Amino acid sequence: MRPVEKDLCKRAAVFGRPFATPEVSALGVADAERTLESLARQEILTARGRARNGGRDWQFRSALVSDVAYRMLADDLRAELHRRAAGYLSAAPLGDPEEVATHFERGGQAGQAAQWYRKAARATAERGDSVT
C-alpha cells in the first residue's frame, strides 16, 4: 500500500461509518477519488453507490482494518481530524447533530459539542423519539 493510500485510510477511519468522497477530501486528502478507487481495486474499500452529498459512498471491507487505521493516528492529528470532520459536517444541510457533536467532543471542543448535543436532543424530542 502506498503512503497516500495509508494516509487516506487513517483519515477516513475518523468517520467510523461509511463515508463520501467529499468527506475525506475535507480531511485533507488530495485526489481522493483516484486513491479511493485504488483502494477498492485492492479490496480494502468498497463503493456503496452515490452519497447524498455528492461523490460516492465508500466503506472499509473490514472493520478491523478501519480500527487499526484509526489507532495508527497520532493523538494530536486524530483530534484535528475530528475537528475538521465536525466543521465539515456542521456546514452540511443534512448533517446529523449527534454525529457533529461526537466529532467536536473527540476533537477536544466540549463547548461546541454541548451545543450540538443540545440540537440533537431537540431534534429527537421534536420527532417524538424519546428512546434516542
Side-chain angles (χ1 to χ4, degrees):
M1 179 183 302
R2 297 178 306 148
V4 68
E5 294 166 337
K6 187 175 182 180
D7 183 61
L8 184 146
C9 287
K10 292 189 287 188
R11 290 171 186 265
V14 166
F15 288 104
R17 59 158 172 74
F19 51 90
T21 305
E23 291 174 333
V24 292
S25 294
L27 297 186
V29 175
D31 200 12
E33 188 68 31
R34 189 169 72 179
T35 307
L36 289 163
E37 289 173 3
S38 174
L39 288 165
R41 284 191 299 276
Q42 296 173 59
E43 297 187 356
I44 295 168
L45 299 177
T46 185
R48 296 181 36 150
R50 286 280 176 220
R52 64 180 180 215
N53 61 350
R56 282 191 269 181
D57 257 344
W58 300 87
Q59 73 178 43
F60 285 94
R61 291 179 69 84
S62 165
L64 179 59
V65 171
S66 175
D67 188 49
V68 169
Y70 184 77
R71 291 173 187 265
M72 289 176 70
L73 289 166
D75 291 342
D76 57 339
L77 178 56
R78 182 182 303 127
E80 171 62 26
L81 292 173
H82 278 294
R83 288 190 295 271
R84 283 187 184 186
Y88 177 82
L89 295 171
S90 66
L94 299 174
D96 174 25
E98 186 174 1
E99 181 182 18
V100 173
T102 300
H103 285 295
F104 273 128
E105 183 178 6
R106 291 180 181 167
Q109 295 178 311
Q112 288 178 290
Q115 292 173 7
W116 282 90
Y117 279 128
R118 185 173 35 251
K119 288 179 186 182
R122 285 185 181 143
T124 57
E126 288 171 6
R127 286 193 312 265
D129 186 2
S130 61
V131 173
T132 301

